Amino acid sequence: MRPTGDSPRADGRPERIRVLHVDDDPEFAAQFAEGLEREDDRFETTIATTAREGLARLETDRIDCLVSEYDLVDIDGLALLERVRDRDERAPFVLCTDAGSEALASDAIAAGVTDYVQKETASGEFPVLANRLVNAVETARTQRHHERQRRAIETAREGISLLDPDGTFVYVNRAYAECFGYEPAELIGEHWELLYTDEDAATVHEEVLPTVRAEGYWHDESTGVRADGSRIVVDHTLSTTDRNGLICTLRDVTDHRDRKRDLERYETIVEALGDPVYTIDSDGRYAFVNDAYAEITGYAKADIVGKPVSFLLDEPSVERGTDVIRELLTSASGPSQQTYEITVETSDGTRIQCEDNVSLLPLEDGEYRGAAGVVRDITARKEREWELEQYETILETIPDEVYTLDANGRFTKVVPPIDCDRTVSGYKPEEQIGEHVSLVIDDDDIRTGEAIIAELLADDDRERGSYEITLRTKDGDRVPNENHLALLPMEDGEFRGTVGVLRDITERKERERTLKRQNERLESFANVVSHDLRNPLTVAQGQLSLVLEDRDDDRLETVAKAHDRMQGLIDDILTLAREEKPIAECEPIELAVFARRCWRYVETDGVGLETPTDAVVRVDTRRFERLLENLMRNAVEHGTARPDQRAQPTANGGEPIDVGVTVTVGDLPDGEGFFVEDDGPGIPSDERERVLESGYSTATQGTGFGLAIVDRIADSHGWSLTVAESDAGGARFEFRGVETRR
């Protein structure tokens, strides 16, 4: 039987009342249907002549009420009632029969018929019968509606209860009772205060109930007490009924609130970490990024969320990430997270090297839901690794040995010179690791090193020190080395050891010994020249001077000039010998001022000077003075009068004179030095290298040592000298590698 609802029809009229009349007398059945429909047009009657046909109609048609004869051809009316009740306990069933008797009426009522009438009575009282059928159908419909409501309430996931005006539970569904750990029957008749602490009950009395009474509704979270004494947080709604009672609905949100609190806590932790954090969904799109992730990329969070990871990562990074997630998914017993490197491209196009620590989000029914990652910028670390690789490569390629010592003077690392598998002292590196430095260094050298270390520790501005040591080799030999020391970085202000570079100076020491012997021989030679040659020459010059007082002879003048030439040779040879010695100290001088001072000490008749420079150079003033004077004299000796030369002032500010040659001291274009040039006849290209040789001269009166001395002085300063042609065609001497400033 398919009962209808009680809602109005689409045309606005009340729902039809569908009656099934089971009677083997078709004529009466038709008369019965006509009488009902005449009384109320809501009636629609269907006729069945047998119980079997009636039961079949109940299965297929929507029937609101069943009217049946008692005497049917297949079964009687009460048996039909029993089968109808098996299908629907509340279906209205009216027994309308000719076989009327008190006993039958009693049996029918006992069997649960809705009503009992005799056909004779029914035929004459259709208005009464129609009204009784309408009441029976509407009652059944109301009961069904209430039953559906009750079932809905009972099966609802929300807790629902009804309270009378005194606050006593008159109804409680199972969900409501289970929220608080009770059976529904245990709460019926109890006051709602049973479910609250005294403090919370006072809040309900003072704040909640006045709001409900005034506004008819209240909704918020509240905290109750379960039967076991534990606390429960519920999403709570109260509303009033027509009879001044209360309808209460609630939902346990304890877990939800705890999850929300945990989520807030996790979000706070994620933001407080400072590291960029993200999650992606199963499609590889960003589902969440924190502020740090947005900051490192230069984008707003809203610009990232929803974008594929390729929005920020280059293709190799995406491929590596895909492989990592695939491995995590297929490795059930493997690690739950993996770390790999990615390249993030920021909003301004900068590429940042990062480390991504990625984990899978919890699976849902075995399905991949996405992943979460913590990203760290390792650009600085990669740069340090690169620098470290560079330093390690340098250490492995430099010709010197590098070592480190701990604070106790024990070797922690030894890198032999390039292409060597043994150290300078003949050990394999691993043989020295852990050994004290006294394995290869004498006590005196150790004490010197300790003193230098103490000085470095005491002076923050001093970074390194060096001294010479003698290494004892594994074979017992002794090898001189230059030991360059520096402190390892301090840790919490504590000394951690030193790093050193050893340079084998065996060849240098041999050169020094050879040079010392050469200098000793040169000094001996200079002494011979200075005393053994100068003394006889002085005697000869003195005797010649006496002879010249008595007679005038051209031949004697020739001898005098020869004596002067010999004197010049002796002076130049001594100068050359002394210029070989290293320079002890340099001082800054203004090049233009110094050049003009030298100019005053040179016989420069017919020669002018220009100094278009403001450079300051560091020089040995005594030697640099000789360098400039020699160049100026060279210009004087080799210059010739030029009719096109204009008049030049003298260096001391006197009247302008006609000059044949002009000497210029100026700056090189590249700023690495200076030049001295003239506009005389110049030096032929095939003689420019030879003019710097000792004894070479094109002048009949020259010694041939002037420019050689210039070359020696430049070399002693560490300068390079190039002979070239000036723009005017004269001689030009260029000095590079000069320490200058302006």
Side-chain angles (χ1 to χ4, degrees):
M1 186 171 185
R2 298 183 179 180
T4 62
D6 57 357
S7 60
R9 293 185 297 180
D11 57 6
R13 292 182 296 168
E15 184 69 32
R16 290 186 178 278
I17 300 175
R18 297 176 178 84
V19 178
L20 173 61
H21 190 179
V22 183
D23 199 317
D24 55 5
D25 182 356
E27 183 177 346
F28 177 76
Q31 180 184 356
F32 186 85
E34 182 181 353
L36 288 179
E37 293 173 4
R38 185 173 55 249
E39 294 299 328
D40 194 326
D41 63 0
R42 288 181 294 172
F43 284 105
E44 292 181 355
T45 304
T46 300
I47 298 173
T49 58
T50 65
R52 180 178 298 175
E53 182 183 357
L55 292 172
R57 288 293 181 90
L58 291 177
E59 292 294 333
T60 59
D61 297 346
R62 300 177 65 86
I63 302 301
D64 298 309
C65 179
L66 191 143
V67 178
S68 175
E69 167 66 70
Y70 176 75
D71 290 322
L72 299 173
V73 295
D74 40 5
I75 58 174
D76 63 36
L78 295 182
L80 176 60
L81 171 64
E82 184 177 354
R83 294 192 181 184
V84 170
R85 287 287 181 261
D86 290 341
R87 289 172 170 78
D88 185 355
E89 293 182 356
R90 298 186 182 280
F93 189 102
V94 177
L95 190 63
C96 184
T97 179
D98 285 333
S101 67
E102 291 294 333
L104 178 59
S106 177
D107 291 342
I109 293 172
V113 296
T114 305
D115 208 343
Y116 172 84
V117 295
Q118 291 185 347
K119 286 184 178 181
E120 181 179 350
T121 303
S123 298
E125 299 182 3
F126 276 114
V128 176
L129 180 60
N131 186 58
R132 291 164 67 179
L133 290 179
V134 169
N135 290 337
V137 169
E138 289 181 348
T139 298
R141 285 177 174 174
T142 301
Q143 290 176 340
R144 288 194 185 97
H145 177 67
H146 290 165
E147 181 63 22
R148 285 195 299 272
Q149 289 181 325
R150 186 189 66 79
R151 284 199 300 269
I153 291 173
E154 285 297 330
T155 59
R157 299 178 65 179
E158 288 189 330
I160 301 174
S161 65
L162 297 178
L163 297 91
D164 64 18
D166 296 328
T168 301
F169 290 108
V170 295
Y171 171 78
V172 176
N173 74 346
R174 180 160 294 279
Y176 190 100
E178 288 179 349
C179 271
F180 294 94
Y182 293 95
E183 287 293 324
E186 293 179 289
L187 292 180
I188 301 300
E190 295 287 345
H191 196 272
W192 60 261
E193 292 177 346
L194 172 70
L195 306 180
Y196 291 89
T197 64
D198 292 343
E199 182 180 355
D200 291 333
T203 301
V204 173
H205 279 295
E206 296 169 5
E207 299 179 12
V208 177
L209 291 180
T211 300
V212 177
R213 299 303 181 193
E215 301 179 6
Y217 179 83
W218 174 86
H219 173 248
D220 204 343
E221 286 186 359
S222 64
T223 302
V225 181
R226 293 190 178 97
D228 61 4
S230 62
R231 307 272 284 182
I232 178 175
V233 180
V234 294
D235 184 81
H236 201 169
T237 301
L238 286 175
S239 56
T240 57
T241 66
D242 293 340
R243 298 182 179 181
N244 208 29
L246 293 174
I247 299 175
C248 171
T249 62
L250 55 81
R251 179 168 51 89
D252 185 353
V253 294
T254 306
D255 292 341
H256 172 74
R257 192 173 187 180
D258 290 342
R259 287 194 299 271
K260 181 180 179 182
R261 187 164 49 247
D262 289 341
L263 179 60
E264 292 173 348
R265 185 161 52 246
Y266 290 143
E267 288 177 346
T268 302
I269 293 172
V270 165
E271 293 296 348
L273 277 175
D275 288 328
V277 178
Y278 72 89
T279 63
I280 57 173
D281 61 22
S282 58
D283 294 325
R285 294 180 176 274
Y286 287 104
F288 164 81
V289 295
N290 68 346
D291 291 339
Y293 197 93
E295 182 177 349
I296 195 175
T297 63
Y299 291 97
K301 291 196 287 188
D303 294 333
I304 301 174
V305 173
K307 296 289 197 312
V309 293
S310 57
F311 174 64
L312 295 175
L313 307 186
D314 62 6
E315 185 174 347
S317 299
V318 174
E319 292 176 356
R320 284 195 296 272
T322 301
D323 292 340
V324 167
I325 289 176
R326 185 179 293 113
E327 185 174 343
L328 290 173
L329 285 169
T330 56
S331 179
S333 59
S336 60
Q337 70 90 29
Q338 284 199 29
T339 301
Y340 69 106
E341 291 186 3
I342 60 175
T343 300
V344 177
E345 185 167 331
T346 66
S347 60
D348 62 3
T350 303
R351 294 169 66 83
I352 302 176
Q353 292 295 114
C354 295
E355 190 176 70
D356 190 358
N357 298 277
V358 65
S359 300
L360 299 180
L361 294 174
L363 302 180
E364 188 172 277
D365 298 329
E367 293 294 323
Y368 169 62
R369 297 173 56 213
V374 179
V375 174
R376 288 186 177 173
D377 184 349
I378 59 171
T379 303
R381 191 185 80 187
K382 296 298 286 186
E383 290 176 353
R384 288 195 299 272
E385 290 176 355
W386 169 242
E387 290 176 358
L388 181 60
E389 290 175 359
Q390 287 180 306
Y391 288 136
E392 289 177 344
T393 303
I394 291 172
L395 291 180
E396 293 170 355
T397 55
I398 62 176
D400 302 319
E401 181 172 306
V402 181
Y403 67 88
T404 58
L405 301 176
D406 63 17
N408 297 316
R410 297 186 178 276
F411 288 103
T412 56
K413 186 176 182 64
V414 181
V415 181
I418 184 174
D419 296 331
C420 295
D421 59 354
R422 291 181 180 271
T423 66
V424 174
S425 53
Y427 292 93
K428 291 182 178 179
E430 57 269 22
E431 292 179 308
Q432 286 187 221
I433 302 300
E435 295 291 337
H436 192 265
V437 69
S438 58
L439 175 70
V440 294
I441 301 179
D442 292 337
D443 291 344
D444 289 343
D445 289 337
I446 291 176
R447 283 192 288 271
T448 302
E450 289 174 344
I452 292 176
I453 292 172
E455 292 173 0
L456 295 175
L457 288 170
D459 189 350
D460 293 337
D461 295 329
R462 188 177 175 188
E463 297 181 349
R464 62 185 66 86
S466 62
Y467 69 111
E468 292 184 5
I469 63 173
T470 300
L471 287 180
R472 295 193 310 274
T473 70
K474 189 176 183 180
D475 296 332
D477 296 331
R478 301 179 72 80
V479 182
N481 272 258
E482 194 172 62
N483 189 16
H484 300 272
L485 287 178
L487 302 179
L488 289 172
M490 309 287 276
E491 187 172 280
D492 298 329
E494 293 294 325
F495 171 60
R496 297 174 58 202
T498 57
V499 59
V501 178
L502 292 175
R503 175 166 295 176
D504 187 344
I505 57 174
T506 302
E507 294 183 2
R508 190 182 81 185
K509 298 300 285 185
E510 181 60 34
R511 287 195 303 271
E512 288 177 356
R513 286 191 292 269
T514 300
L515 182 60
K516 182 179 180 181
R517 290 193 297 268
Q518 290 175 343
N519 286 337
E520 289 173 351
R521 289 195 296 270
L522 188 60
E523 187 66 29
S524 177
F525 170 73
N527 289 334
V528 170
V529 171
S530 178
H531 296 90
D532 296 353
L533 290 181
R534 192 188 296 275
N535 288 340
L537 178 60
T538 302
V539 172
Q541 287 175 324
Q543 294 297 320
L544 179 61
S545 178
L546 293 174
V547 172
L548 286 173
E549 290 178 358
D550 297 333
R551 68 178 67 176
D552 185 10
D553 190 329
D554 291 341
R555 289 175 295 178
L556 294 178
E557 290 292 335
T558 301
V559 173
K561 291 180 179 179
H563 286 168
D564 291 340
R565 180 170 172 78
M566 291 173 64
Q567 183 68 49
L569 284 170
I570 292 171
D571 291 341
D572 286 346
I573 289 172
L574 289 175
T575 299
L576 277 175
R578 289 163 182 156
E579 298 306 337
E580 294 289 345
K581 295 181 180 179
I583 292 176
E585 185 176 359
C586 290
E587 60 181 278
I589 57 99
E590 295 182 41
L591 182 57
V593 174
F594 198 85
R596 287 193 293 271
R597 189 183 74 183
C598 294
W599 184 258
R600 292 198 296 268
Y601 302 117
V602 178
E603 293 183 6
T604 56
D605 290 342
V607 179
L609 175 67
E610 293 183 355
T611 55
T613 175
D614 59 355
V616 174
V617 297
R618 293 185 62 84
V619 299
D620 179 311
T621 56
R622 182 189 63 79
R623 299 191 194 191
F624 190 57
E625 181 178 36
R626 181 175 293 276
L627 180 147
L628 289 179
E629 289 178 358
N630 281 11
L631 290 175
M632 292 173 182
R633 288 193 182 97
N634 185 74
V636 172
E637 292 174 0
H638 296 279
T640 58
R642 299 271 297 276
D644 59 335
Q645 295 297 315
R646 59 184 176 84
Q648 295 287 337
T650 61
N652 57 10
E655 291 296 324
I657 61 173
D658 290 331
V659 297
V661 176
T662 298
V663 175
T664 303
V665 180
D667 301 327
L668 290 176
D670 53 16
E672 293 184 357
F674 64 93
F675 68 86
V676 178
E677 68 177 17
D678 60 56
D679 54 1
I683 302 173
S685 59
D686 58 349
E687 296 183 12
R688 289 173 188 164
E689 292 186 6
R690 295 182 61 198
V691 296
L692 301 178
E693 297 175 2
S694 299
Y696 180 81
S697 177
T698 60
T700 58
Q701 300 300 317
T703 65
F705 290 103
L707 294 182
I709 292 173
V710 170
D711 186 43
R712 296 294 193 280
I713 294 174
D715 187 62
S716 65
H717 281 84
W719 304 339
S720 65
L721 170 57
T722 303
V723 181
E725 184 180 54
S726 68
D727 292 341
R732 178 181 172 97
F733 299 87
E734 298 178 347
F735 298 87
R736 286 185 170 80
V738 182
E739 184 179 349
T740 64
R741 63 182 175 85
R742 286 172 175 77

